[in-house]
Amino acid sequence: MKIAVAIDGPAAAGKSTIAKKVALMRGFTYIDTGAMYRAFTWYCLEKGVDCQDEKACVSLIPEVNIELKPNGIVLCNGVDISKPIRGTDVSSNVSYIASYKDIRLALVKLQRKMAEKDSVIMDGRDIGTYVLPNAEVKIFQVASVETRAKRRYLENQEKGISCTYEQIFEDVQRRDHIDSTRAFSPLKKAEDAVYLDTSDLSIDEVVAIVNGIIDKKLEEIK
Ligand code: DC
């Protein structure tokens, strides 16, 4: 049976960690929609375009070709940008890019197409509310700002990305604000999504909860 699982929530709530693990366990395709907004941001920066200039960024849509490979590699026009899209330059500009309606529409079209064939776990901000409103399972995954900033800081350290905890804390707060107040398709819990606060849970505990929700749904629709 083909199903779609939507995991939405604020920056650094651990959505991709959980989605990747559950996808691997169940043989679902994992789709990281944040990586697509990051890839677009990377391209604007690469072209020297100001990310706060909506018109200039939107004008680049026809020349941007983003691909997500099954091994987690992100390509932009054939170039592997998996590492630079996690850097601070992209992270601090991506919310501007993600607030532009035309860019969202172009990327959402791609996301829906990717979900047509196989069972998917897609993570982002508007998957349950806008991209896949009919997803069989919807989860809204959150954690406190402190927890999220700490997790992202440790993750960056492991990856050798230089930053301070204070920088990350401020960036997470700023992105929460931009993502949840933008006019088009803001970060919001879908009415039928399960609210899951992971502040005091381990990765394995969250994986078990999400798997339990999926199992229950599969049982219902069998
Ligand atoms: O999940 P992430 O941190 O990689 O996402 C990067 C940015 O992209 C984030 O600031 C919000 C935006 N985003 C979005 O607006 N809609 C999505 N479906 C996914 C991400």
Side-chain angles (χ1 to χ4, degrees), residues 32-50:
D32 176 359
T33 62
M36 298 165 80
Y37 292 97
R38 286 173 179 272
F40 203 105
T41 306
W42 174 86
Y43 189 75
C44 294
L45 294 171
E46 190 68 7
K47 283 273 158 177
V49 168
D50 177 0

PDB file of all heavy atoms in Angstrom, residues 32-50:
ATOM      1  N   ASP A  32      13.421  15.718   1.565  1.00  0.00           N
ATOM      2  CA  ASP A  32      13.793  16.841   2.425  1.00  0.00           C
ATOM      3  C   ASP A  32      13.485  18.144   1.680  1.00  0.00           C
ATOM      4  O   ASP A  32      14.298  18.618   0.890  1.00  0.00           O
ATOM      5  CB  ASP A  32      15.299  16.709   2.729  1.00  0.00           C
ATOM      6  CG  ASP A  32      15.842  17.864   3.546  1.00  0.00           C
ATOM      7  OD1 ASP A  32      15.084  18.792   3.871  1.00  0.00           O
ATOM      8  OD2 ASP A  32      17.053  17.831   3.847  1.00  0.00           O
ATOM      9  N   THR A  33      12.284  18.703   1.930  1.00  0.00           N
ATOM     10  CA  THR A  33      11.902  19.896   1.153  1.00  0.00           C
ATOM     11  C   THR A  33      12.717  21.124   1.553  1.00  0.00           C
ATOM     12  O   THR A  33      12.937  22.014   0.737  1.00  0.00           O
ATOM     13  CB  THR A  33      10.390  20.207   1.284  1.00  0.00           C
ATOM     14  OG1 THR A  33      10.094  20.492   2.657  1.00  0.00           O
ATOM     15  CG2 THR A  33       9.548  19.047   0.801  1.00  0.00           C
ATOM     16  N   GLY A  34      13.183  21.153   2.813  1.00  0.00           N
ATOM     17  CA  GLY A  34      14.023  22.280   3.246  1.00  0.00           C
ATOM     18  C   GLY A  34      15.290  22.370   2.395  1.00  0.00           C
ATOM     19  O   GLY A  34      15.769  23.464   2.067  1.00  0.00           O
ATOM     20  N   ALA A  35      15.817  21.196   2.011  1.00  0.00           N
ATOM     21  CA  ALA A  35      17.040  21.168   1.189  1.00  0.00           C
ATOM     22  C   ALA A  35      16.792  21.843  -0.163  1.00  0.00           C
ATOM     23  O   ALA A  35      17.703  22.423  -0.760  1.00  0.00           O
ATOM     24  CB  ALA A  35      17.496  19.723   0.977  1.00  0.00           C
ATOM     25  N   MET A  36      15.538  21.790  -0.626  1.00  0.00           N
ATOM     26  CA  MET A  36      15.226  22.401  -1.923  1.00  0.00           C
ATOM     27  C   MET A  36      15.240  23.934  -1.804  1.00  0.00           C
ATOM     28  O   MET A  36      15.755  24.627  -2.680  1.00  0.00           O
ATOM     29  CB  MET A  36      13.873  21.874  -2.431  1.00  0.00           C
ATOM     30  CG  MET A  36      13.918  20.362  -2.642  1.00  0.00           C
ATOM     31  SD  MET A  36      12.308  19.591  -2.809  1.00  0.00           S
ATOM     32  CE  MET A  36      11.948  19.949  -4.498  1.00  0.00           C
ATOM     33  N   TYR A  37      14.664  24.455  -0.705  1.00  0.00           N
ATOM     34  CA  TYR A  37      14.721  25.916  -0.488  1.00  0.00           C
ATOM     35  C   TYR A  37      16.168  26.351  -0.252  1.00  0.00           C
ATOM     36  O   TYR A  37      16.595  27.415  -0.692  1.00  0.00           O
ATOM     37  CB  TYR A  37      13.811  26.323   0.682  1.00  0.00           C
ATOM     38  CG  TYR A  37      12.351  26.131   0.333  1.00  0.00           C
ATOM     39  CD1 TYR A  37      11.664  24.983   0.719  1.00  0.00           C
ATOM     40  CD2 TYR A  37      11.677  27.065  -0.450  1.00  0.00           C
ATOM     41  CE1 TYR A  37      10.341  24.778   0.359  1.00  0.00           C
ATOM     42  CE2 TYR A  37      10.349  26.868  -0.817  1.00  0.00           C
ATOM     43  CZ  TYR A  37       9.696  25.723  -0.416  1.00  0.00           C
ATOM     44  OH  TYR A  37       8.392  25.515  -0.792  1.00  0.00           O
ATOM     45  N   ARG A  38      16.921  25.507   0.425  1.00  0.00           N
ATOM     46  CA  ARG A  38      18.338  25.814   0.659  1.00  0.00           C
ATOM     47  C   ARG A  38      19.110  25.829  -0.660  1.00  0.00           C
ATOM     48  O   ARG A  38      19.982  26.680  -0.881  1.00  0.00           O
ATOM     49  CB  ARG A  38      18.957  24.774   1.609  1.00  0.00           C
ATOM     50  CG  ARG A  38      18.518  24.937   3.047  1.00  0.00           C
ATOM     51  CD  ARG A  38      18.997  23.794   3.938  1.00  0.00           C
ATOM     52  NE  ARG A  38      18.577  23.998   5.303  1.00  0.00           N
ATOM     53  CZ  ARG A  38      19.259  24.678   6.206  1.00  0.00           C
ATOM     54  NH1 ARG A  38      20.435  25.199   5.909  1.00  0.00           N
ATOM     55  NH2 ARG A  38      18.788  24.841   7.417  1.00  0.00           N
ATOM     56  N   ALA A  39      18.808  24.878  -1.540  1.00  0.00           N
ATOM     57  CA  ALA A  39      19.505  24.803  -2.832  1.00  0.00           C
ATOM     58  C   ALA A  39      19.226  26.065  -3.656  1.00  0.00           C
ATOM     59  O   ALA A  39      20.137  26.644  -4.271  1.00  0.00           O
ATOM     60  CB  ALA A  39      19.053  23.557  -3.599  1.00  0.00           C
ATOM     61  N   PHE A  40      17.979  26.506  -3.633  1.00  0.00           N
ATOM     62  CA  PHE A  40      17.639  27.729  -4.377  1.00  0.00           C
ATOM     63  C   PHE A  40      18.401  28.922  -3.797  1.00  0.00           C
ATOM     64  O   PHE A  40      18.931  29.774  -4.524  1.00  0.00           O
ATOM     65  CB  PHE A  40      16.121  27.977  -4.350  1.00  0.00           C
ATOM     66  CG  PHE A  40      15.659  28.839  -5.492  1.00  0.00           C
ATOM     67  CD1 PHE A  40      14.981  28.296  -6.567  1.00  0.00           C
ATOM     68  CD2 PHE A  40      15.943  30.196  -5.506  1.00  0.00           C
ATOM     69  CE1 PHE A  40      14.587  29.084  -7.643  1.00  0.00           C
ATOM     70  CE2 PHE A  40      15.540  30.997  -6.572  1.00  0.00           C
ATOM     71  CZ  PHE A  40      14.870  30.442  -7.642  1.00  0.00           C
ATOM     72  N   THR A  41      18.471  28.972  -2.464  1.00  0.00           N
ATOM     73  CA  THR A  41      19.184  30.066  -1.783  1.00  0.00           C
ATOM     74  C   THR A  41      20.661  30.042  -2.171  1.00  0.00           C
ATOM     75  O   THR A  41      21.268  31.090  -2.462  1.00  0.00           O
ATOM     76  CB  THR A  41      19.040  29.890  -0.248  1.00  0.00           C
ATOM     77  OG1 THR A  41      17.662  29.783   0.067  1.00  0.00           O
ATOM     78  CG2 THR A  41      19.665  31.059   0.499  1.00  0.00           C
ATOM     79  N   TRP A  42      21.231  28.847  -2.180  1.00  0.00           N
ATOM     80  CA  TRP A  42      22.650  28.696  -2.558  1.00  0.00           C
ATOM     81  C   TRP A  42      22.877  29.279  -3.954  1.00  0.00           C
ATOM     82  O   TRP A  42      23.841  30.004  -4.184  1.00  0.00           O
ATOM     83  CB  TRP A  42      23.036  27.218  -2.525  1.00  0.00           C
ATOM     84  CG  TRP A  42      24.423  26.975  -3.029  1.00  0.00           C
ATOM     85  CD1 TRP A  42      25.584  27.051  -2.303  1.00  0.00           C
ATOM     86  CD2 TRP A  42      24.801  26.652  -4.382  1.00  0.00           C
ATOM     87  NE1 TRP A  42      26.657  26.793  -3.116  1.00  0.00           N
ATOM     88  CE2 TRP A  42      26.207  26.550  -4.391  1.00  0.00           C
ATOM     89  CE3 TRP A  42      24.096  26.444  -5.559  1.00  0.00           C
ATOM     90  CZ2 TRP A  42      26.923  26.244  -5.547  1.00  0.00           C
ATOM     91  CZ3 TRP A  42      24.796  26.143  -6.722  1.00  0.00           C
ATOM     92  CH2 TRP A  42      26.193  26.048  -6.705  1.00  0.00           C
ATOM     93  N   TYR A  43      21.955  28.980  -4.860  1.00  0.00           N
ATOM     94  CA  TYR A  43      22.125  29.451  -6.245  1.00  0.00           C
ATOM     95  C   TYR A  43      22.068  30.989  -6.306  1.00  0.00           C
ATOM     96  O   TYR A  43      22.872  31.609  -7.003  1.00  0.00           O
ATOM     97  CB  TYR A  43      21.035  28.834  -7.136  1.00  0.00           C
ATOM     98  CG  TYR A  43      21.282  29.095  -8.593  1.00  0.00           C
ATOM     99  CD1 TYR A  43      22.272  28.403  -9.288  1.00  0.00           C
ATOM    100  CD2 TYR A  43      20.555  30.058  -9.283  1.00  0.00           C
ATOM    101  CE1 TYR A  43      22.522  28.661 -10.631  1.00  0.00           C
ATOM    102  CE2 TYR A  43      20.793  30.321 -10.621  1.00  0.00           C
ATOM    103  CZ  TYR A  43      21.779  29.611 -11.290  1.00  0.00           C
ATOM    104  OH  TYR A  43      22.027  29.878 -12.610  1.00  0.00           O
ATOM    105  N   CYS A  44      21.135  31.588  -5.559  1.00  0.00           N
ATOM    106  CA  CYS A  44      21.033  33.066  -5.540  1.00  0.00           C
ATOM    107  C   CYS A  44      22.347  33.665  -5.026  1.00  0.00           C
ATOM    108  O   CYS A  44      22.876  34.615  -5.609  1.00  0.00           O
ATOM    109  CB  CYS A  44      19.888  33.524  -4.639  1.00  0.00           C
ATOM    110  SG  CYS A  44      18.275  33.048  -5.250  1.00  0.00           S
ATOM    111  N   LEU A  45      22.877  33.092  -3.948  1.00  0.00           N
ATOM    112  CA  LEU A  45      24.121  33.607  -3.367  1.00  0.00           C
ATOM    113  C   LEU A  45      25.279  33.434  -4.356  1.00  0.00           C
ATOM    114  O   LEU A  45      26.116  34.326  -4.532  1.00  0.00           O
ATOM    115  CB  LEU A  45      24.446  32.900  -2.042  1.00  0.00           C
ATOM    116  CG  LEU A  45      23.460  33.149  -0.891  1.00  0.00           C
ATOM    117  CD1 LEU A  45      23.760  32.225   0.287  1.00  0.00           C
ATOM    118  CD2 LEU A  45      23.511  34.605  -0.435  1.00  0.00           C
ATOM    119  N   GLU A  46      25.294  32.282  -5.003  1.00  0.00           N
ATOM    120  CA  GLU A  46      26.338  31.963  -5.982  1.00  0.00           C
ATOM    121  C   GLU A  46      26.333  32.980  -7.132  1.00  0.00           C
ATOM    122  O   GLU A  46      27.366  33.375  -7.646  1.00  0.00           O
ATOM    123  CB  GLU A  46      26.049  30.543  -6.517  1.00  0.00           C
ATOM    124  CG  GLU A  46      27.123  29.895  -7.360  1.00  0.00           C
ATOM    125  CD  GLU A  46      28.370  29.548  -6.567  1.00  0.00           C
ATOM    126  OE1 GLU A  46      28.377  29.681  -5.329  1.00  0.00           O
ATOM    127  OE2 GLU A  46      29.358  29.169  -7.219  1.00  0.00           O
ATOM    128  N   LYS A  47      25.116  33.409  -7.502  1.00  0.00           N
ATOM    129  CA  LYS A  47      24.953  34.367  -8.610  1.00  0.00           C
ATOM    130  C   LYS A  47      25.145  35.808  -8.134  1.00  0.00           C
ATOM    131  O   LYS A  47      25.005  36.748  -8.918  1.00  0.00           O
ATOM    132  CB  LYS A  47      23.536  34.229  -9.200  1.00  0.00           C
ATOM    133  CG  LYS A  47      23.369  33.030 -10.081  1.00  0.00           C
ATOM    134  CD  LYS A  47      23.768  33.366 -11.498  1.00  0.00           C
ATOM    135  CE  LYS A  47      24.121  32.145 -12.279  1.00  0.00           C
ATOM    136  NZ  LYS A  47      24.445  32.419 -13.666  1.00  0.00           N
ATOM    137  N   GLY A  48      25.355  35.995  -6.817  1.00  0.00           N
ATOM    138  CA  GLY A  48      25.533  37.332  -6.264  1.00  0.00           C
ATOM    139  C   GLY A  48      24.226  38.118  -6.203  1.00  0.00           C
ATOM    140  O   GLY A  48      24.228  39.353  -6.150  1.00  0.00           O
ATOM    141  N   VAL A  49      23.094  37.393  -6.173  1.00  0.00           N
ATOM    142  CA  VAL A  49      21.793  38.066  -6.102  1.00  0.00           C
ATOM    143  C   VAL A  49      21.413  38.261  -4.624  1.00  0.00           C
ATOM    144  O   VAL A  49      21.572  37.351  -3.814  1.00  0.00           O
ATOM    145  CB  VAL A  49      20.718  37.218  -6.845  1.00  0.00           C
ATOM    146  CG1 VAL A  49      19.318  37.718  -6.548  1.00  0.00           C
ATOM    147  CG2 VAL A  49      20.985  37.219  -8.343  1.00  0.00           C
ATOM    148  N   ASP A  50      20.910  39.441  -4.280  1.00  0.00           N
ATOM    149  CA  ASP A  50      20.488  39.750  -2.917  1.00  0.00           C
ATOM    150  C   ASP A  50      19.225  38.939  -2.586  1.00  0.00           C
ATOM    151  O   ASP A  50      18.197  39.087  -3.257  1.00  0.00           O
ATOM    152  CB  ASP A  50      20.194  41.262  -2.840  1.00  0.00           C
ATOM    153  CG  ASP A  50      19.674  41.703  -1.480  1.00  0.00           C
ATOM    154  OD1 ASP A  50      19.541  40.842  -0.577  1.00  0.00           O
ATOM    155  OD2 ASP A  50      19.394  42.909  -1.334  1.00  0.00           O
TER     156      ASP A  50
END
